[in-house]
Amino acid sequence: MKKFGKFITKVVDRKTLKYVAVGTFNTLLSAAAMFLLYNLLHVGYWISTAAYYIVGAVAGYFLNKYWTFRIKGKYLKTILRYLLTVVVCFIVAYGGAKYLIKYILSSSSGRVQENVAMVTGMVLYPLLNYLGQRFFAFAVRRRDLNLNPVYPQKLPESRQKRNERKRRVLHKRKISSRKKSS
């Protein structure tokens, strides 16, 4: 239970609130595109949900990179990780939702099933995507801390003490070598 508590406190913070704000904006914008395409223009399920994903992915990348997670530099690596996260979350959320809802609402029409599946995917996608973006796409690794001015490097206390000890030993060696040479 303690591990779950640590996980929750690590996941729910200011970044979470910013992600929710970005996600709300993206969801409204993307959902409008998806439902207009599917219901008014009669575009298929996968193209409509892909439009939702593309609109949200482009806007979400820039808002989350620069505002939510405040990541600078490493564009190619970040873009590749972001795209991988978005694609995997899309397939899992919408593919899983489609088959789950099709099974649950087997007596309903295909149109009802797909509309409910789209709404279900809209709930699953941001949850999965947040975890993927936070801990994979925009993750700040310990080795990157000194390269990223937004996250200044702070060494663990034990490492600071060890470095201080090394400095003292080197200083003593310098002093003793000076005494020997004089």
Side-chain angles (χ1 to χ4, degrees):
M1 194 63 168
K2 285 184 180 182
K3 286 183 180 180
F4 182 72
K6 281 184 178 180
F7 175 75
I8 292 298
T9 56
K10 186 176 181 180
V11 172
V12 180
D13 61 3
R14 190 173 189 163
K15 289 178 185 176
T16 308
L17 298 175
K18 286 181 169 185
Y19 182 83
V20 168
V22 168
T24 301
F25 171 76
N26 276 347
T27 300
L28 294 173
L29 179 68
S30 303
M34 178 174 66
F35 286 113
L36 284 171
L37 285 171
Y38 187 75
N39 291 308
L40 293 179
L41 300 176
H42 304 290
V43 175
Y45 176 84
W46 287 110
I47 293 174
S48 299
T49 55
Y52 171 84
Y53 142 78
I54 291 167
V55 170
V58 172
Y61 174 78
F62 291 104
L63 290 169
N64 284 318
K65 183 177 193 302
Y66 295 108
W67 187 61
T68 305
F69 300 110
R70 303 181 85 187
I71 301 297
K72 300 198 191 283
K74 296 192 290 188
Y75 296 102
L76 183 61
K77 186 176 180 180
T78 305
I79 288 171
L80 292 175
R81 285 175 171 253
Y82 180 82
L83 289 174
L84 180 63
T85 300
V86 169
V87 169
V88 168
C89 291
F90 173 74
I91 291 168
V92 170
Y94 286 96
K98 184 170 183 175
Y99 291 105
L100 177 69
I101 298 303
K102 190 174 183 177
Y103 176 76
I104 292 171
L105 300 177
S106 59
S107 61
S108 299
S109 73
R111 205 121 177 104
V112 169
Q113 288 175 359
E114 289 185 341
N115 272 288
V116 173
M118 283 190 265
V119 171
T120 305
M122 285 172 59
V123 172
L124 292 174
Y125 177 79
L127 297 173
L128 296 171
N129 201 26
Y130 174 72
L131 295 173
Q133 287 184 32
R134 172 100 188 238
F135 298 109
F136 178 68
F138 298 120
V140 177
R141 283 145 190 82
R142 180 166 237 132
R143 68 178 180 266
D144 297 337
L145 288 175
N146 59 353
L147 302 175
N148 192 335
V150 177
Y151 298 98
Q153 184 172 18
K154 184 176 181 184
L155 296 173
E157 194 172 317
S158 61
R159 202 162 165 198
Q160 287 176 343
K161 287 179 182 178
R162 186 175 45 218
N163 287 348
E164 186 59 39
R165 254 186 278 126
K166 285 180 182 178
R167 278 190 217 106
R168 275 189 258 133
V169 168
L170 289 172
H171 182 69
K172 284 180 183 178
R173 285 181 186 165
K174 273 186 180 178
I175 290 174
S176 66
S177 68
R178 286 181 194 162
K179 287 181 181 179
K180 288 179 183 177
S181 63
S182 32

